[in-house]
Amino acid sequence: MAAVSLGRAVGAATAALSISLISCFLLYRARSKFHPWKKTKGGKRRRGLVEAIGNTPLIRINSLSDATGCEILGKAEFLNPGGSVKDRVAVKIIEEAIENGELVEGGIVTEGSAGSTAISLATVAPAFGCTCHVVIPDDAAIEKSQILEALGAVVERVRPVSITHKDHFVNIAKRRAIEANKAKNDATVEVTGHVSHNGQSDEGSRIKSRGGYFAAQFENLANYRAHYEWTGPEIWNQTKGSIHAFVAAAGTGGTIAGVSRFLKEKNKCIKCFLIDPPGSGLFNKVTRGVMYTKEEAEGKRLKNPFDTITEGIGINRVTKNFMMAELDGAYRGTDQEAVEMSRFLLRNDGLFIGSSSAMNCVGAVRVARALGPGHTIVTILCDSGMRHLSKFFNNQYLAEHGLTPTATGLEFLS
């Protein structure tokens, strides 16, 4: 009798194990199908660090949802390994360059940026066997330069000049890639100027190279494709298609272009909006079809059109990436609103977000109020506040610029 009972127990256990294994297999197959972004264009599965990028949570921002009667959801891109939405762009740019034969293992990825894209490229490049060379203006926040150096990137600091100048940091970055291509096959590239690498600083450097590739985040459509093929499908799946609007600011334009185009292909009734910071001309471009403000038309344009505390968003030209966007309208946001929103979310939701994320949330509330209660609105939480300590979260800096937060609720949003 005991033997029979034991036999039945073993049989039941075996059946349960088989069912579990089959369930796991089916779940794996389903997840593989559900997550097409885990594979490259050629069907090769992403592994290692790169596999950890994407599939970020879409979280309910409770305070804003409760205040507006809408479901306001934020894509928590600050949870990517490199700490921002730009991880996706870095992966897509490097993958496409390798697939197209423009970049090989041991090559140098160059970019002119002091922002999140540079940090993401420096994070991702080693996973592909490449190195990263970043050119930044020497007035950029020192902590960003330190992060890049800690990640192993070569950091070249140059004096700030106009984008039309041959020595603008973006133009130098492009030149570095050309120089690296001329010195292929494990040759070295001579770099002049103030260069830092692994904490060592000098006035010049020689870098080993197997060719170079200029990331060109503003004009490289791999940026747009990262969000059309990756971020957009995630949002659609996570909301199960129940989404009424999407809103985001734009710098390169890749995020808002890729997500808006994908969502509108799924459902043309989904509304997509831009939220634009001070000094940027994109609001005028979307609403009037021209990139000028009343002040510019009167010849009173400020010397620095980007005199704003927000970073990584706002621009006065239309990039190839932004041209792919499908938008229904645009809103303006102010520095004060972004600062106040960041503190409001920190107090009420425990969300410690950066300036562009805060501006996106300003846009989400504007859209929610325009559409009315009962709608689902998605925005992007681009990065955390950790990269914004010297300005955006510096009380002394804010006081000097008349931006000290004082609001207790959402009264700062007119």
Side-chain angles (χ1 to χ4, degrees), residues 9-28:
V10 170
T14 303
L17 179 60
S18 298
I19 291 171
S20 296
L21 289 173
I22 291 170
S23 298
C24 288
F25 174 73
L26 292 174
L27 178 61
Y28 171 79

Side-chain angles (χ1 to χ4, degrees), residues 13-137:
T14 303
L17 179 60
S18 298
I19 291 171
S20 296
L21 289 173
I22 291 170
S23 298
C24 288
F25 174 73
L26 292 174
L27 178 61
Y28 171 79
R29 287 289 300 273
R31 283 179 63 86
S32 296
K33 220 172 170 185
F34 189 69
H35 300 319
W37 50 87
K38 293 296 184 185
K39 295 183 179 180
T40 65
K41 187 178 178 181
K44 185 179 178 182
R45 185 173 173 81
R46 290 172 174 145
R47 299 283 185 184
L49 172 77
V50 177
E51 189 176 14
I53 295 171
N55 198 27
T56 53
L58 186 64
I59 62 174
R60 183 179 191 266
I61 304 178
N62 292 330
S63 63
L64 303 184
S65 298
D66 294 344
T68 61
C70 289
E71 287 296 292
I72 295 183
L73 310 176
K75 195 86 166 84
E77 291 298 292
F78 56 82
L79 294 178
N80 279 311
S84 84
V85 66
K86 294 297 185 178
D87 281 12
R88 299 173 186 266
V89 178
V91 168
K92 192 64 174 170
I93 285 175
I94 292 176
E95 278 184 350
E96 288 195 4
I98 290 173
E99 289 169 1
N100 296 335
E102 297 175 277
L103 179 67
V104 299
E105 185 174 346
I108 301 171
V109 180
T110 73
E111 182 59 293
S113 167
S116 292
T117 302
I119 293 172
S120 291
L121 285 169
T123 301
V124 169
F128 291 92
C130 299
T131 57
C132 187
H133 183 123
V134 181
V135 185
I136 66 174

